């Protein structure tokens, strides 16, 4: 029910690599049912970068690396990972893309952008929630979106729950959104209806 508590316990017990391997194997199995061309975003605890199995050519996700974006949470200090930049470069060589997850909520802030050079940056819901009524949040998110574009990263706003938040995020230039406004977490892959584009 509370992934943050579960992962906190796993971290204290030194079991993050084991949990990560189980999650990655489950994603690889489920990917068979993913819609054609879908990108699969997979959370990666920062300490998993210390697990050599993550980089193996025979690892389950390595077989579908070109479809996978690994989300490294910004809540975990990367100084606990030996040669984090080099390890991320190895993942890219395998074909994975990299996302910084929860930007704005964690330890490193903008330093994680320099260290990881992510393909995708996911803005934490603490920046998104109530943005329509908070001028400072609008300015911060707008500036971060501009910076991310200049760095060549796609931006995703997390935790969008209202139409007012959606409209405000679009107005400040955020093009990709996720949150309960669109769908709630569930098992499997939802059927996606694509509306035709009018000529």
């Amino acid at each position: 029910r509370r992934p943050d508590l579960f992962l906190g316990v796993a971290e204290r017990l030194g079991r993050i690599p084991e949990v990560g391997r189980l999650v990655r194997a489950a994603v690889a199995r489920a990917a068979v049912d993913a819609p054609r061309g879908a990108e699969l975003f997979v959370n990666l605890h920062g300490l998993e970068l210390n697990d050599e199995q993550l980089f193996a050519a025979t690892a389950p996700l390595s077989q579908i690396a070109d479809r996978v974006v690994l989300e490294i949470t910004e809540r975990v200090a990367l100084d606990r990972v030996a040669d984090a930049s080099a390890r991320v470069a190895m993942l890219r060589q395998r074909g994975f893309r990299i996302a910084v997850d929860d930007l704005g909520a964690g330890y490193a802030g903008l330093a994680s952008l320099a260290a990881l050079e992510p393909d995708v940056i996911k803005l934490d819901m603490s920046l998104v929630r109530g943005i329509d009524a908070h001028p400072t949040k609008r300015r911060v998110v707008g500036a971060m979106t501009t910076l991310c574009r200049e760095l060549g990263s796609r931006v995703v706003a997390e935790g969008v729950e209202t139409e007012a938040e959606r409209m405000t995020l679009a107005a400040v230039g955020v093009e990709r959104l996720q949150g309960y406004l669109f769908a709630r977490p569930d098992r499997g892959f939802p059927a996606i209806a694509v509306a035709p584009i009018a000529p």
Side-chain angles (χ1 to χ4, degrees):
R1 292 183 185 181
R2 290 282 307 274
D4 57 331
L5 297 178
F6 177 81
L7 291 172
V9 171
E11 190 173 334
R12 286 193 300 279
L13 295 175
R15 307 280 298 269
I16 287 294
E18 180 182 348
V19 171
R21 289 176 205 147
L22 290 169
V23 168
R24 294 191 305 269
V27 170
R29 286 191 303 273
V32 174
D33 298 323
R36 184 181 305 181
E39 289 180 307
L40 302 172
F41 282 72
V42 180
N43 287 100
L44 191 75
H45 190 287
L47 294 178
E48 288 179 70
L49 291 171
N50 289 324
D51 181 11
E52 297 304 324
Q53 285 192 25
L54 174 64
F55 305 92
T58 56
L61 281 189
S62 293
Q63 313 306 310
I64 56 169
D66 62 328
R67 299 178 63 193
V68 175
V69 180
L70 295 172
E71 296 186 35
I72 301 173
T73 182
E74 204 258 333
R75 294 175 189 266
V76 175
L78 290 178
D79 59 7
R80 295 169 62 190
V81 178
D83 299 320
S85 295
R87 290 182 168 270
V88 168
M90 289 169 55
L91 291 171
R92 281 201 169 93
Q93 288 172 354
R94 286 256 170 257
F96 293 105
R97 281 159 292 145
I98 303 299
V100 169
D101 193 19
D102 301 325
L103 187 70
Y107 296 102
L110 297 178
S112 60
L113 302 187
L116 299 175
E117 299 181 28
D119 304 286
V120 179
I121 295 166
K122 300 185 82 176
L123 301 178
D124 187 71
M125 67 176 62
S126 62
L127 293 170
V128 170
R129 198 65 46 77
I131 191 172
D132 51 296
H134 203 294
T136 301
K137 282 187 179 183
R138 284 198 297 275
R139 286 193 294 275
V140 168
V141 169
M144 290 176 77
T145 300
T146 299
L147 173 63
C148 293
R149 280 208 188 106
E150 290 175 0
L151 295 172
S153 301
R154 294 183 289 160
V155 178
V156 178
E158 298 182 301
V160 181
E161 292 192 350
T162 69
E163 185 62 22
E165 290 169 348
R166 183 195 71 75
M167 291 175 61
T168 303
L169 289 160
V172 299
V174 181
E175 296 175 345
R176 293 170 181 85
L177 312 172
Q178 94 179 46
Y180 286 175
L181 180 64
F182 310 104
R184 291 188 174 266
D186 202 356
R187 294 186 181 275
F189 296 94
I192 299 172
V194 178
I197 297 172

